[in-house]
Amino acid sequence: MSKPVRKHAPKKKPHKPHHDPAPASKFNIKSPVVAIIVTAILAAIPFSIGKYIEFNSPDPFDSGSYVYSAQHILNGAKIGIDEKPSAQMGTLLINILGVRMSGYNEIGPKLIQMILQAAAFVLMFIAMRRLFGTLAASVGVIIASIYLSAPLIAKFGNAKEQHMIAFMIMGMSCFVLYQLNGKWWCAIPAGAFLSFAPLFKETGTSVLGAVGLFLILQPLLKHNSWKKTGTDILLLVAGAVAILGPISLWLAIEKAPINYYPYSFLYRSFFTAHEAPQTGGENEQPVAYDTGEAAVEKSTAGQGLLMKLMPAYVRDSWQALGPEQRKEARLRVLRYYRLLILPIALAVGAVILRIVRLLFARMAKLKDNRKISPDRFVMLFAVWWLLDMSFVWISPRSYEQYYLPLNASAAMLGGYLVSAYSDKAKNAASRPAWIAIGAAGLLVMMVMSLHIFRGVLKSPHSGVINRNRSTGQPERYRGYAQRLAEASAHGKGAKNSSEVVGEYIKNISSSSDEIYVWGWFPGIYISAQRFSPAPKAFEGTMNILSPKALSERIEEILNSFKGNPPKFIVDSRKNHFPWDRPPLELWPSIQNGYRLVTNPPADRKQLWYALLRTFDVQPDDLTEEGFLRSDRPEGISRYDAAFAKALRAKIDPAEAQRYEVMKPFRDYVMNNYKIVRMFGQHVLFQRK
């Protein structure tokens, strides 16, 4: 029997020819890895310069107060009793951790801020790249790095706004990633970061408001089910509880006043004043917690609803200004807007593009079939940015660091505009034309941000041209170039007057000696490495406190001096808000009345006589430096009466009353201390 014939002959395996090893792939400029490396380098340049400037620029103001409070609490001071921090809880915790790391200085908090900001940029790039593409992510991170490190608005580092922004960016980035991938482990940290941001400053609620509105609108716009939205909210709340719960528990254990608890600005007005428990010490009196913000005691009767909703110190700051000063406060905001034109222009462009696309889609009845459309995130970023833009109008003080947050939200929102260009350039028939458009856009962006690097001629705060002190000629300042030179000089030994007076005290006193600094120069404590016997060791709101509240503040300070008087007192003589009045000095000086003289003569000799006439003093009543002599009580009485009268006429009756209630403090200093010398504007007193 024959074998069945095979239908198909077996196939022979083809011989695989030998090939030489493939050559290594050439450098591909379009590779995402290359784009990431280039972005990291370009973002790292301003970031590194900014951090070098910050680490070599000691902050005599806010940062000094945070470090002081942190170290005092680590030394065992009770919150609300022995120590009344000006910092909110987020800032205080960061500084406690930083001071624990590096000691009684700013290095630790600034190092933490640097790490947080770097982590925020990494998350920002990842989220924007997933949402808008590599080019948009690169542009967004580079712009954020340039502006969040810019000396024009970044101040000295360890600012509450800088810490807050890092958490806002990390929270928003994690939230976007959660919306894109649906992973719960992105939602939990998103909730933690987002809820922690307002613990630095109330304006951190802008990012919470944007996320909250976005979540509520998703089921209404048929993007998500209500069940999915409920799950999203629960996951975010879980993250918030994970971070806020331990903080609240620690504060409960420490028996801290309710004002220090997370989000107390939302509910503290519903509680009665909380008194700290009496510890039995001779000088430890039970005191109600009050910062300068909460202690402004003016009636809100007759005020508008918006004014009543504002924090007390903001409300009374506006009330302290006249019509022209209020106008100037609004112009100040517009001047800063002009200097931040690049991020603002990108954000505005993104919003306009989204509106145009939406209108065209509605008219053409087009539907976006993509599961996750980048278009729907524009509303999220836009609300965040608009709230940041709006919040800078709340306070009439409008310091430079207030403008930091809007740059972060603008950078993420502007990514939508860049992504639209990127999509068009990729799919265009004539790519060279789009490349030329991109190059022109890059050139425009460089021109719009040039002043950030080379400095500005006019002060955005005052609108006055900055002039060289020696030549009187206009001079640029507050750019990367100028501040880098200043930081380098500081690294070589140049110091400001607040550092010099602090180090002077440190060198002629022991570590157990205590000091007191009047005015908002808390950095002097850090330079001196000393502490104060007063629970509230520094004051910056004396000119907006009501006379009654200021009198109580003075009484509290003097009571704290009874058992352990400070060996040294520094009168910083800082010109506090409002800036139209002389500082409330601890030892009167004739020069302090310059602003109160009607039509002051330009001639120095004539000005001297005008001051003597205005304040009813004789040359014999003054020291060579122009201070009132403590052994001439009649001269002091005449001066006090004339100075209060001038304040009443030139400023307002309340300012005259503030000067009068300061008399017990002035008498205490003049009777128990002697003038050592002046350090710039600061006057140093030593106990007799």
Side-chain angles (χ1 to χ4, degrees), residues 67 131-132 134-135 164 198 205 225 293 330 355 407 410 423 454 490 521 528 556 621 686:
V67 171
L131 188 61
F132 296 136
T134 302
L135 180 62
M164 178 183 73
T205 54
S225 66
E293 303 174 0
R330 298 184 183 100
I355 293 173
N407 295 281
D423 292 341
R454 67 194 292 248
H490 185 273
F521 266 92
E556 178 185 281
D621 296 327
Q686 183 174 3

Side-chain angles (χ1 to χ4, degrees), residues 22 41 60 63 66-67 86 108 138 145-146 183 225 285 322 411 445 451 461 507 523 528 530 543 569 658 683:
I41 293 172
S63 179
Y66 307 152
V67 171
S86 65
S138 299
S145 178
I146 290 172
K183 304 296 184 182
S225 66
Q285 300 296 326
M445 291 168 67
H451 58 277
H461 185 82
N507 293 333
R530 300 291 181 262
N543 294 108
I569 292 178
R658 292 185 188 99
V683 186

Side-chain angles (χ1 to χ4, degrees), residues 256-561:
I258 194 70
N259 307 68
Y260 287 106
Y261 279 71
Y263 293 87
S264 64
F265 58 88
L266 295 176
Y267 54 80
R268 65 186 173 199
S269 60
F270 296 102
F271 290 82
T272 56
H274 178 84
E275 288 193 346
Q278 190 166 357
T279 59
E282 181 180 349
N283 299 309
E284 294 175 335
Q285 300 296 326
V287 293
Y289 165 72
D290 61 334
T291 63
E293 303 174 0
V296 184
E297 299 176 359
K298 289 186 179 180
S299 172
T300 59
Q303 297 175 355
L305 177 61
L306 181 61
M307 194 68 74
K308 290 180 180 179
L309 293 175
M310 289 183 180
Y313 81 104
V314 173
R315 180 176 62 246
D316 290 284
S317 294
W318 279 112
Q319 291 180 336
L321 301 181
E324 288 299 318
Q325 294 169 312
R326 294 189 180 197
K327 180 181 177 181
E328 176 61 24
R330 298 184 183 100
L331 291 175
R332 185 177 302 120
V333 175
L334 298 178
R335 287 195 291 265
Y336 272 106
Y337 278 175
R338 183 177 62 82
L339 294 176
L340 303 176
I341 186 62
L342 174 56
I344 290 176
L346 285 173
V348 171
V351 172
I352 293 174
L353 176 62
R354 177 58 184 140
I355 293 173
V356 171
R357 281 184 167 182
L358 188 62
L359 291 175
F360 272 101
R362 289 288 176 87
M363 288 188 294
K365 297 182 179 180
L366 298 176
K367 290 185 178 180
D368 194 335
N369 295 320
R370 288 174 291 180
K371 185 178 179 181
I372 297 294
S373 172
D375 291 342
R376 71 184 179 95
F377 287 87
V378 175
M379 185 272 291
L380 171 67
F381 297 141
V383 172
W384 177 23
W385 173 70
L386 287 171
L387 288 174
D388 284 340
M389 289 282 287
S390 302
F391 284 169
V392 297
W393 292 89
I394 293 176
S395 174
R397 299 169 184 248
S398 203
Y399 296 123
E400 62 264 35
Q401 67 271 24
Y402 290 11
Y403 298 87
L404 283 166
L406 68 88
N407 295 281
S409 49
M412 295 194 77
L413 175 58
Y416 179 71
L417 185 64
V418 179
S419 72
Y421 162 79
S422 180
D423 292 341
K424 286 289 185 182
K426 287 178 182 177
N427 302 319
S430 177
R431 297 196 64 187
W434 281 96
I435 292 174
I437 292 173
L442 178 61
L443 180 61
V444 171
M445 291 168 67
M446 292 173 65
V447 171
M448 293 171 77
S449 61
L450 187 60
H451 58 277
I452 297 296
F453 297 94
R454 67 194 292 248
V456 296
L457 283 173
K458 280 188 177 182
S459 166
H461 185 82
S462 64
V464 176
I465 294 177
N466 181 61
R467 297 185 181 276
N468 185 287
R469 293 184 178 181
S470 302
T471 65
Q473 295 300 311
E475 183 178 58
R476 293 187 179 275
Y477 77 132
R478 291 179 67 181
Y480 274 99
Q482 295 83 17
R483 287 299 305 277
L484 183 60
E486 293 170 10
S488 299
H490 185 273
K492 296 176 183 178
K495 298 183 184 299
N496 59 54
S497 58
S498 64
E499 291 178 273
V500 175
V501 66
E503 292 179 1
Y504 180 88
I505 293 171
K506 180 182 177 182
N507 293 333
I508 63 172
S509 63
S510 64
S511 58
S512 60
D513 290 329
E514 293 187 305
I515 67 173
Y516 181 77
V517 178
W518 173 248
W520 195 252
F521 266 92
I524 294 175
Y525 287 107
I526 314 304
S527 299
Q529 293 289 287
R530 300 291 181 262
F531 293 94
S532 169
K536 189 169 178 59
F538 22 80
E539 181 58 63
T541 59
M542 60 277 286
N543 294 108
I544 62 170
L545 288 171
S546 69
K548 180 177 182 296
L550 180 59
S551 176
E552 292 171 352
R553 182 67 49 80
I554 298 303
E555 183 180 3
E556 178 185 281
I557 293 171
L558 295 180
N559 284 338
S560 69
F561 289 174

Side-chain angles (χ1 to χ4, degrees), residues 66-197:
Y66 307 152
V67 171
Y68 174 93
S69 296
Q71 185 62 67
H72 201 196
I73 291 168
L74 286 173
N75 289 351
K78 289 292 184 181
I79 299 176
I81 302 176
D82 309 308
E83 173 60 31
K84 295 183 177 181
S86 65
Q88 295 196 32
M89 192 45 56
T91 311
L92 185 61
L93 290 173
I94 291 291
N95 277 264
I96 287 175
L97 178 59
V99 169
R100 177 64 68 91
M101 290 168 48
S102 67
Y104 191 19
N105 55 62
E106 296 179 277
I107 295 175
K110 289 184 177 182
L111 182 62
I112 293 174
Q113 188 269 330
M114 181 183 72
I115 295 171
L116 288 172
Q117 198 170 63
F121 288 154
V122 171
L123 283 173
M124 179 181 177
F125 182 85
I126 294 171
M128 290 187 69
R129 185 167 181 263
R130 286 286 306 275
L131 188 61
F132 296 136
T134 302
L135 180 62
S138 299
V139 172
V141 169
I142 291 170
I143 288 177
S145 178
I146 290 172
Y147 280 84
L148 295 182
S149 303
L152 180 67
I153 54 176
K155 216 170 182 181
F156 303 100
N158 193 29
K160 55 181 175 289
E161 289 84 359
Q162 288 179 309
H163 295 297
M164 178 183 73
I165 291 165
F167 281 92
M168 294 168 84
I169 294 175
M170 290 190 292
M172 181 60 81
S173 299
C174 287
F175 178 74
V176 169
L177 290 172
Y178 170 65
Q179 291 293 309
L180 295 176
N181 61 28
K183 304 296 184 182
W184 65 268
W185 43 265
C186 287
I188 298 289
F193 294 144
L194 292 171
S195 63
F196 199 66

Side-chain angles (χ1 to χ4, degrees), residues 175 178-179 182-188 190-191 211 215-216 218-219 224-240:
F175 178 74
Y178 170 65
Q179 291 293 309
K183 304 296 184 182
W184 65 268
W185 43 265
C186 287
I188 298 289
V211 169
L215 285 174
I216 292 172
Q218 295 315 292
N224 273 336
S225 66
W226 284 105
K227 181 178 180 181
K228 177 65 169 61
T229 299
T231 301
D232 294 348
I233 293 174
L234 286 176
L235 288 172
L236 292 175
V237 170

Side-chain angles (χ1 to χ4, degrees), residues 16-52:
K16 189 175 183 180
H18 174 74
H19 294 288
D20 292 330
S25 60
K26 294 182 179 180
F27 180 80
N28 183 7
I29 197 170
K30 295 182 180 180
S31 168
V33 175
V34 175
I36 292 171
I37 293 173
V38 172
T39 301
I41 293 172
L42 293 178
I45 292 172
F47 179 81
S48 301
I49 295 174
K51 297 312 157 193
Y52 174 81

